[in-house]
Structures are given as structure tokens and as C-alpha cells.
Amino acid sequence: MITLVWLGVIAVVVVGVVLVVRQSQGRLPNQGDRAQLSSLARTIFSLEVGDIVQYMGTDWVVEGKLTYDSNGYTWLEYLLQDGDRLRWLSVEEDDRVEVNFLEPTQGLDIPSTPPTHLTFGGVAYRQVEAGTARMTRAGTTLNRQAEQCRYFDYAASDDASNDQVLSVEDWEGDLEVTVGTRIRPTALTLLPGDGHRVYGA
């Protein structure tokens, strides 16, 4: 009986030692670490400069963030960068969450007043929304420096291409065109960063 008691005590001590060693090696986070990780959890509505957006095998760094406000309706656009490549991640919630992954393009000539229908890359688009928005910004936002802009949003006219979108923004006469696709939020993996830009000061 005494032998069994001693064996039990030894087993408890061994387990305790193993747990302490694993925790010191960073393989077993303590309660404080778990609470900190939980508080750093990101959603597509709470990304910050320096965070990482993983999409289609690429780690995109959030270099900037714009919050648009059009008469009380707000949405977000994040400037993502991987090396020399730039993308915009547009996030809005109306009846449902809509996420667009957009690439800047110089390949489309737009008049000062964008038309209601246009064609780009063999895809016909129709204008679905237009208006004026004011914004706040964080990090770098490239040429998007004005206090407000006019925006013109387009969707593919062909039902077979209904995930394709195009956006025209007029920043005090400087027209910026982005084109891309509507994606599922679950296609993104979001990782908290250190709050600092990677590709700029």
C-alpha cells in the first residue's frame, strides 16, 4: 500500500515537472497569454496597420486603413501590400457582409463623370451605387489623401460573372480605378501584427 502511495506521488511530481518545462519552452501558454491572444483576435472589421491578411497563399500586410462615411453609412478599405504588389480589401455590411479584393489599374480611361455602363477586360459592368463620402485614415493610403471623394461602384452585368466588381473613386479630380472580385470572408485568415507598417516608415 505504501509503495502505491509513493508511486502516485512520483507520478504527480513528474507530470508537474513536464508541464513547467513545456510552459517555459512556450509550448503551453499560461492563462495570461491565452487572455492576451484572445484580446488580439481580429475580424475583417477590426484590422489594424501591421496585421496580416492571408489569402490565396499570400501574406498581405495591412499598410493603411480608410473608413468611409456617406451620410452615416460606413465601410472600410484596407491597403494590403506584398512586396511591390498592392491590393485594396473593401469591407461593408448592409443586409449582409460584402468583401471585395481589388487591384488598382491604369488600363481604363474614365471621363470626369463616370458612365452608368462600361466594359473592362472583356466584362460589361453596370453602375450599382454612387455618392460622396468623407473619411478618416490610418497608415498609408497612397493618393487617397483628400477629405472626401466621389465613388462609383460597378458590378458585372453578366450573371455568369456576378462576382466581378469595379470601383471608380474621384479624389479631387484624381480618378482611381480598382477591379477585382467579391470573395467570402471565410477565405481570409487574419493575424494580429505589431501595429507597425512593414513597407514604410
Side-chain angles (χ1 to χ4, degrees):
M1 178 64 74
I2 295 177
T3 302
L4 291 175
V5 170
W6 277 108
L7 286 176
V9 170
I10 292 172
V12 170
V13 170
V14 169
V15 169
V17 170
V18 169
L19 289 175
V20 169
V21 169
R22 287 174 65 87
Q23 183 170 337
S24 67
Q25 293 175 339
R27 295 162 61 188
L28 183 69
N30 59 34
Q31 292 290 341
D33 292 337
R34 281 197 290 269
Q36 184 178 10
L37 289 174
S38 176
S39 68
L40 290 176
R42 293 290 191 255
T43 72
I44 53 175
F45 295 102
S46 65
L47 287 169
E48 299 294 343
V49 171
D51 289 349
I52 304 298
V53 176
Q54 295 179 331
Y55 178 61
M56 298 290 286
T58 300
D59 289 351
W60 297 94
V61 181
V62 177
E63 289 287 296
K65 177 180 180 179
L66 273 170
T67 303
Y68 293 70
D69 187 329
S70 180
N71 297 317
Y73 178 73
T74 62
W75 68 95
L76 302 165
E77 288 198 15
Y78 302 99
L79 176 62
L80 308 181
Q81 187 166 354
D82 173 54
D84 294 331
R85 298 189 298 165
L86 297 171
R87 299 292 186 273
W88 287 97
L89 185 70
S90 172
V91 179
E92 62 180 292
E93 183 176 15
D94 195 353
D95 294 331
R96 60 188 178 86
V97 176
E98 184 175 306
V99 180
N100 297 323
F101 192 73
L102 303 160
E103 179 178 2
T105 180
Q106 303 292 328
L108 182 62
D109 291 328
I110 299 288
S112 58
T113 300
T116 55
H117 292 81
L118 54 82
T119 300
F120 178 74
V123 177
Y125 294 89
R126 74 188 194 299
Q127 192 179 113
V128 294
E129 192 172 358
T132 302
R134 300 186 64 82
M135 65 279 308
T136 56
R137 56 181 53 81
T140 183
T141 53
L142 301 180
N143 296 328
R144 302 182 179 188
Q145 298 298 320
E147 292 303 314
Q148 68 177 27
C149 79
R150 294 191 302 150
Y151 63 89
F152 307 85
D153 293 336
Y154 295 80
S157 302
D158 183 358
D159 289 341
S161 307
N162 60 5
D163 284 337
Q164 294 181 273
V165 293
L166 187 145
S167 174
V168 178
E169 293 183 350
D170 181 353
W171 295 83
E172 294 186 342
D174 183 11
L175 294 182
E176 182 173 333
V177 181
T178 54
V179 62
T181 57
R182 186 175 296 112
I183 64 174
R184 295 179 179 275
T186 53
L188 306 173
T189 299
L190 312 176
L191 304 174
D194 60 4
H196 296 93
R197 294 170 54 200
V198 172
Y199 295 98

